[in-house]
Amino acid sequence: MEPQRPSVAVARVARELARAGVASARVEAELLVAHVLGVPRGRLALADPLAAEQTAHLADLVRRRATREPLQHLTGRAAFRYLDLRVGPGVFVPRPETELLAGWGVEQARRTENPLVVDLCSGSGAIALAVAGEVPQARVVAVERSPAALDWLRRNVADRVAAGDRPVEVVVADVTDPQLLAGLTGRVDVLLCNPPYVPRRVGVPEEVAGHDPDEAVFGGADGLSVIRPVVAAAARLLRPGGTLGLEHDDTHGTTVPELLAADGRFAAVVDHPDLTGRPRFVTASRRSDACHAAGGTAWQTGSS
């Protein structure tokens, strides 16, 4: 088999992916060819032709992508803000819309000297590591309970430490535990969370079904079974004036803000749209005139 120029390979793969119904076929083709060649996507034009074994490897990846195996599982990496994260089976692949929540969290953390930031349902560590990388003075705590996700989280933390970022503290815990992070009660400056929130009855794309862990996607019958205890945990953990950022399903643009308002310990409750204009995350601040609760209700469900 003759070596194939990268441009020719990209054009061929893009056609195959488009025929399979993959969105953004050209972009994904470039990413797959760059992955096989071991070069950044921006340097494809300067890369050497694909050898026979590389062409065969690429063909296998294209076949798997056509069956809707996530692109990030094929490359083993996921881009998130300024990060390149390790991902794969057992951990939720971070989504572009969550970058908005992380960016909001970065802005909030920068307003405080030496802030304490907590990321609940941390998964791959995308939000926690974004804050740690962009706010070097922050102490960042990432909470995760899934053994498979914790493996990816710890690898990503180690990678970022090697790159010079401040270490993120990894805590193994269930965010529905009413005693979660009891030692930090009333001390947290910024609390961020991208919990499982899809209602169980809702269908999900093929890239999600069978690939992202169910416990990281679905939040019970109404999608709120993890969000409810997270709201209670945030009210307990945040200092007066501390801020909460919580991602939710696009059907919860009214429901989740109402949960925060009904709790009585939050002010300045605002819902924010995602990149497509759909309701995506809510923010609020901890009132200074409401007492911290001693405990909360335990909700028996998984965390991402």
Side-chain angles (χ1 to χ4, degrees):
M1 183 182 294
E2 291 292 323
Q4 192 172 62
R5 288 184 290 117
S7 60
V8 174
V10 167
R12 176 177 56 79
V13 170
R15 288 194 298 270
E16 293 181 26
L17 293 179
R19 282 197 298 269
V22 174
S24 304
R26 176 75 186 194
V27 171
E28 294 204 14
E30 292 175 353
L31 290 169
L32 285 173
V33 174
H35 169 69
V36 168
L37 287 170
V39 300
R41 177 186 169 200
R43 295 189 61 83
L44 271 176
L46 304 176
D48 293 332
L50 283 78
E53 61 272 19
Q54 291 174 317
T55 300
H57 183 205
L58 178 62
D60 179 61
L61 294 179
V62 172
R63 176 188 59 76
R64 292 164 60 188
R65 183 66 189 103
T67 65
R68 293 303 192 276
E69 188 170 345
L71 174 70
Q72 296 85 353
H73 283 197
L74 300 178
T75 63
R77 317 293 300 194
F80 188 84
R81 289 181 67 84
Y82 306 107
L83 302 173
D84 182 37
L85 300 171
R86 297 177 189 259
V87 295
V91 71
F92 184 80
V93 175
R95 305 300 200 263
E97 53 264 32
T98 304
E99 295 185 18
L100 300 176
L101 172 61
W104 180 88
V106 166
E107 293 175 2
Q108 298 301 307
R110 284 175 173 162
R111 296 176 181 176
T112 302
E113 185 177 359
N114 302 317
L116 171 58
V117 181
V118 169
D119 173 31
L120 300 182
C121 304
S122 192
S124 66
I127 294 175
L129 292 167
V131 175
E134 298 177 51
V135 191
Q137 71 273 23
R139 175 191 172 190
V140 182
V141 178
V143 178
E144 178 55 57
R145 79 165 197 173
S146 163
L150 282 162
D151 184 45
W152 293 105
L153 171 58
R154 289 179 173 127
R155 287 191 233 178
N156 286 321
V157 169
D159 284 349
R160 295 314 307 165
V161 170
D165 289 353
R166 181 173 176 176
V168 165
E169 301 170 35
V170 176
V171 174
V172 182
D174 188 330
V175 301
T176 68
D177 181 353
Q179 298 304 314
L180 175 70
L181 302 177
L184 300 183
T185 295
R187 296 172 51 196
V188 175
D189 296 294
V190 182
L191 190 146
L192 304 168
C193 182
N194 177 20
Y197 55 65
V198 177
R200 176 56 70 175
R201 68 183 182 280
V202 174
V204 295
E206 293 177 81
E207 285 85 352
V208 175
H211 297 291
D212 282 326
D214 269 13
E215 68 173 353
V217 175
F218 296 103
D222 61 0
L224 300 172
S225 58
V226 178
I227 286 178
R228 290 188 185 96
V230 164
V231 168
R236 176 174 56 81
L237 292 169
L238 287 169
R239 64 165 174 79
T243 51
L244 164 68
L246 176 62
E247 189 165 321
H248 58 69
D249 190 68
D250 57 14
T251 63
H252 292 152
T254 299
T255 305
V256 174
E258 287 179 345
L259 284 176
L260 290 167
D263 178 273
R265 290 173 285 179
F266 295 96
V269 178
V270 178
D271 205 68
H272 303 260
D274 63 16
L275 299 169
T276 66
R278 295 174 297 184
R280 184 55 62 197
F281 71 99
V282 64
T283 61
S285 62
R286 180 65 167 81
R287 288 175 52 184
S288 59
D289 58 349
C291 296
H292 282 91
T297 302
W299 296 80
Q300 300 304 312
T301 186
S303 63
S304 68

